[in-house]
Amino acid sequence: MSAPDAASSLVILAAGLGSRFGDAKQIEGIGPGGEWLLEYAIHDALAAGFSRIVLVIRPALRDALSRRLATPLQGRAELHMVEQSVEHVPAGCRIPNGREKPLGTGHALWCCAPLLQSPFAVINADDYYGREAFSLLAGHFRRHGQPAMVGYRLAATLSEHGGVNRGICRVDRDGQLAGVDEFTDIAEREGSLTGTGPDGARRELAPDGVVSLNCWGLWPDILPGLEQGLRAFLAQAGPKDEYFLPHAIASHLAARRESLAVLATRDAWMGLTWPEDRPRVRNAIASLHAADAYPTPLWSGT
């Protein structure tokens, strides 16, 4: 597959602290050779034609990431690492009193904005998205100038070991995104699937609902609005509030009266939300290797 653009980027959000998981899950060994989930995303993105990898990190992960990725990416893709810190905010903005954690996924993308001058995908470091997600985005970039997201079925993205956070999408009859609502602590309890909505109320959710898992295909024209939204967020944010990327994208689309394509994927999603998720994800990745979906070890074919 040819590259969507000579400098199309895969942005991997890898600065989260993983409070529920308890470890640096971005570098948790999952594959048969100890491969990380983000390595599978990079492998699949390169196969789809992406040529630049931008990792948004916290400082403690820089050395491990550099040592692991420098060799397999040499000659195949540019590698950039951008640190997300709570002190890095737009000029004139204040940092919420008592804030220690990063400011959220919207802030993470803003941190690497100077590197993004062409179409780019955005994903989480601790999720497995499937190969089709990246080929869908690459193809979309070649054919369309609008942003897009890869959508997954809600019921297929849950954890057996605790609640998860998801962006629940409203999709119109033309396959365009009508809106995104961020729900937290989504889980099946007492026979129903529920989550906590943006207003703090507990609501029942449809298992077949389309969810955003921060797998986006975006263009640089979103970046000014992203900063504007970050400034507005910081003006009223408390010590635990987060600037969510789905909310930033929804605000950008509404302000410009633009639509966002929803690209449905048949691939399975897997993620590390809770420590107990490790065995299931490891077994699933091992099955993919056994079926020759990936070489063993992952980078042995490069």
Side-chain angles (χ1 to χ4, degrees):
M1 183 175 287
S2 60
D5 184 276
S8 291
S9 301
L10 171 64
V11 178
I12 303 178
L13 308 182
L17 294 176
S19 57
R20 286 173 293 181
F21 192 80
D23 293 308
K25 57 182 176 176
Q26 301 91 338
I27 56 174
E28 174 77 14
I30 293 297
E35 294 90 350
W36 309 331
L37 286 182
L38 68 85
E39 291 187 83
Y40 290 92
I42 293 172
H43 190 278
D44 292 341
L46 295 181
F50 288 81
S51 59
R52 175 184 287 177
I53 308 301
V54 180
L55 286 163
V56 184
I57 65 171
R58 58 183 189 269
L61 297 180
R62 178 180 289 275
D63 288 346
L65 289 164
S66 181
R67 287 194 304 268
R68 185 65 164 254
L69 299 176
T71 297
L73 296 187
Q74 187 174 9
R76 301 191 68 211
E78 297 177 28
L79 175 61
H80 300 268
M81 284 187 270
V82 178
E83 294 183 6
Q84 181 186 13
S85 67
V86 70
E87 294 83 12
H88 185 195
V89 295
C93 291
R94 68 171 183 87
I95 302 168
N97 292 332
R99 185 74 186 199
E100 296 180 358
K101 293 178 60 177
L103 293 165
T105 52
H107 174 251
L109 182 60
W110 174 83
C111 288
C112 62
L115 292 170
L116 305 175
Q117 289 92 37
S118 59
F120 56 94
V122 184
I123 64 168
N124 293 330
D126 53 340
D127 293 332
Y128 174 84
Y129 291 96
R131 181 168 298 172
E132 187 182 34
F134 302 98
S135 61
L136 285 171
L137 289 171
H140 181 82
F141 285 149
R142 287 195 298 272
R143 294 188 298 269
H144 305 283
Q146 71 171 143
M149 57 153 278
V150 178
Y152 296 78
R153 182 173 176 267
L154 172 59
T157 72
L158 305 178
S159 171
E160 299 174 355
H161 307 292
V164 298
N165 301 339
R166 298 286 179 259
I168 308 296
C169 302
R170 288 171 272 124
V171 183
D172 68 21
R173 65 182 62 188
D174 297 319
Q176 303 296 301
L177 184 68
V180 179
D181 298 311
E182 192 75 18
F183 279 76
T184 60
D185 192 31
I186 300 172
E188 291 186 7
R189 297 189 177 114
E190 299 180 355
S192 63
L193 181 62
T194 61
T196 301
D199 60 357
R202 195 77 183 170
R203 300 180 187 176
E204 188 167 354
L205 301 172
D208 289 332
V210 175
V211 301
S212 164
L213 294 168
N214 265 355
C215 187
W216 304 96
L218 304 173
W219 294 75
D221 63 357
I222 194 176
L223 299 175
L226 186 72
E227 176 166 329
Q228 182 179 1
L230 179 58
R231 288 180 175 276
F233 165 81
L234 289 169
Q236 50 76 44
K240 296 185 179 180
D241 294 333
E242 293 193 36
Y243 182 43
F244 289 116
L245 182 56
H247 287 168
I249 293 172
S251 296
H252 168 75
L253 295 172
R256 297 175 62 120
R257 297 185 179 179
E258 292 181 349
S259 61
L260 181 144
V262 178
L263 311 177
T265 178
R266 299 181 299 275
D267 278 350
W269 170 92
M270 294 177 281
L272 295 174
T273 303
W274 300 93
E276 294 83 0
D277 292 327
R278 288 185 183 105
R280 177 181 59 85
V281 177
R282 283 176 176 156
N283 289 338
I285 293 294
S287 296
L288 290 172
H289 279 270
D292 294 326
Y294 295 104
T296 305
L298 182 63
W299 297 110
S300 59
T302 62

